[in-house]
Amino acid sequence: MRKLVPTPLGITLVRGYQTIDPDLCLPDIRSFIEQQITLIAKGQVDHRHVVQHVIQQFTQKFSYFVKKIEDMDALFEAQFSALTDSGRILSKCGKCLRYMKYISSQPTRLYCGTCEEVYYLPQKGNIKLYKELSCPLDNFELLICSMPGPDGKSFPLCPYCYSNPPFEGIEALINTAKTGSVGKIGKGSGMPCSLCPHPSCPNSLVSQGVCACPECSGTLVLDPISAPRWKLCCNMCNCLVFLAQGAHRISTTKERCGECDSSIIEVDFNKKTTPLEDGATLHRGCILCDELLHSLVEMKHGRSFKHMSSRGRGRGARKGGRGRGRGGGKIMDPKMSFRDF
C-alpha cells in the first residue's frame, strides 16, 4: 500500500499556516466556493457578487498573512537552522510539558520542538528560570529577566503571556511601556508579570504593585530578586526607588494604606542594623505615609518621592481587564469571514 509521508518542510509549512490562519489548512474555503458555484449554476446567486466577495476576502487574508509572516519565518528558522542545535534547555512548555530550548541569538526566543511553537522574549537582559514557578493562566514555567548594571531592574514573565498577551487592551500598555528598539508586540516587547492584571497570581501587578510612579502613569512594582539592595521598579518607565537596604526580606501584603491606598509592605530588618527599638526586626507600613519607611526611601532616575495620596497607587487603571476570550467591540478578524457571507 502506498502512503503519503509528509516531509519536514511540509509539516513546518502547514504548522505555519495553522499558527497564522488555521482556515488556510481546512477544507472550509474550498467547500464554500464549491457551494457557491453550484448556486451560480442553478441561477440562485449572482456570479459577479460571489467573485467580488471571494477576491475581497482573499485580499484581506493575504494582507493579514503578510503582517504575520515573521511567525512563519521563526518556525522555519527554528526547524531548519542550526540554532536549534546550539540552543540550551531552559523551561517547560505549558502545553506538552516538554522542555523548550532557549535561543540567545537575536531575536531571543524559546522554541518548543514538540509543539513547534516559538515564544519571543525580551531582547535585552539575562534570562533565567524563576524558581520553577508556573503561570496560573497557561502552566508555562516563569522566567526572570534581569537588566545589566547595579541599577538594572528585574521582572518575571511567562513566555506564553509575553508572546500572546491574554488580556484585552493590554497592547496599549505594552506600547506605552516599550523602551527598547524592537517595536512589535510579541517580538521583544510583550506582557511581563509587572503588567499582568491577574487578580490572584502572586507575581502579577495586582500582587506586587506598591504605589503610583511619580514620573508617569505606571506603577512601582517590587523587584523580586533585588535583595539585599531592595528596590521598586516602574513597569512603564525607568524610575527606580530603593527601599531599606540590607533587609533580610521585603514583601508586599494584601493590606492597603488608609490614607493613600498604596500597598502595605512588610520589612524584615537585619538584626545588626535594624532601626527599630529593642532590637525588633519586623515592621509593616506604607512607604509614602510611614515615617520610618519613607525616611529609608532613596529615589533614582526620578523626582523627589513625596506623598501622593491624590494619585493612589496607580493600579486601578489596570483593573477590569478580561482574560482570554472574545469581547465586544473588537475589530473584525481578517483570518476568516467566508462563513458570514
Side-chain angles (χ1 to χ4, degrees), residues 41-114:
K42 293 180 179 180
Q44 297 179 6
V45 298
D46 181 66
H47 169 265
R48 289 177 297 177
H49 187 197
V50 173
V51 171
Q52 182 181 5
H53 173 78
V54 171
I55 292 176
Q56 179 184 2
Q57 300 310 314
F58 272 112
T59 300
Q60 291 180 349
K61 292 173 79 65
F62 176 78
S63 299
Y64 180 82
F65 197 89
V66 170
K67 292 179 181 178
K68 298 288 185 178
I69 195 63
E70 289 182 346
D71 294 341
M72 179 72 82
D73 293 339
L75 280 174
F76 269 85
E77 185 180 61
Q79 181 66 31
F80 296 104
S81 172
L83 289 176
T84 54
D85 298 328
S86 59
R88 61 181 176 86
I89 298 297
L90 182 61
S91 65
K92 288 182 180 179
C93 170
K95 296 180 180 180
C96 65
L97 302 182
R98 302 289 183 88
Y99 280 99
M100 299 184 290
K101 283 190 174 182
Y102 171 63
I103 301 174
S104 58
S105 59
Q106 298 289 330
T108 306
R109 58 211 184 276
L110 283 175
Y111 174 64
C112 178
T114 303

Side-chain angles (χ1 to χ4, degrees), residues 61 85 96 105-106 114 145 149 155 169 173-174 178 181 200 205 224 238 244 264 268 284 337:
K61 292 173 79 65
D85 298 328
C96 65
S105 59
Q106 298 289 330
T114 303
C145 178
F155 54 88
L173 291 176
I174 296 171
K178 283 188 303 187
S181 58
S200 60
L205 167 64
N238 65 347
I264 299 297
D268 186 4
R284 284 191 173 197
S337 56

Side-chain angles (χ1 to χ4, degrees), residues 224-253:
I225 62 170
S226 57
R229 203 163 182 247
W230 295 97
K231 58 179 176 282
L232 302 176
C233 307
C234 178
N235 61 356
M236 303 288 281
C237 69
N238 65 347
C239 179
L240 292 178
V241 174
F242 288 95
L243 302 177
Q245 301 299 291
H248 281 307
R249 178 182 57 85
I250 296 181
S251 60
T252 58
T253 70

Side-chain angles (χ1 to χ4, degrees), residues 210-221 233-241 288 299 301-303 305-306 308 311-315 318:
V210 175
C211 63
C213 174
E215 295 292 304
C216 69
S217 60
T219 301
L220 293 177
V221 182
C233 307
C234 178
N235 61 356
M236 303 288 281
C237 69
N238 65 347
C239 179
L240 292 178
V241 174
L288 297 177
M299 195 71 184
H301 304 315
R303 299 191 298 264
F305 197 56
K306 298 180 179 179
M308 296 178 295
R311 293 186 59 192
R313 55 180 174 174
R315 282 160 52 173
R318 313 298 187 266

Side-chain angles (χ1 to χ4, degrees), residues 315-337:
R315 282 160 52 173
R318 313 298 187 266
K319 295 180 180 179
R322 289 184 285 178
R324 304 185 200 278
R326 307 300 178 192
K330 187 176 181 180
I331 299 175
M332 184 184 71
D333 189 349
K335 288 194 290 185
M336 193 60 205
S337 56

Side-chain angles (χ1 to χ4, degrees), residues 90-92 99 129 132-134 139-143 157 159:
L90 182 61
S91 65
K92 288 182 180 179
Y99 280 99
L129 190 64
E132 296 185 352
L133 300 175
S134 297
N139 203 35
F140 276 69
E141 284 189 322
L142 298 184
L143 304 175
L157 62 100

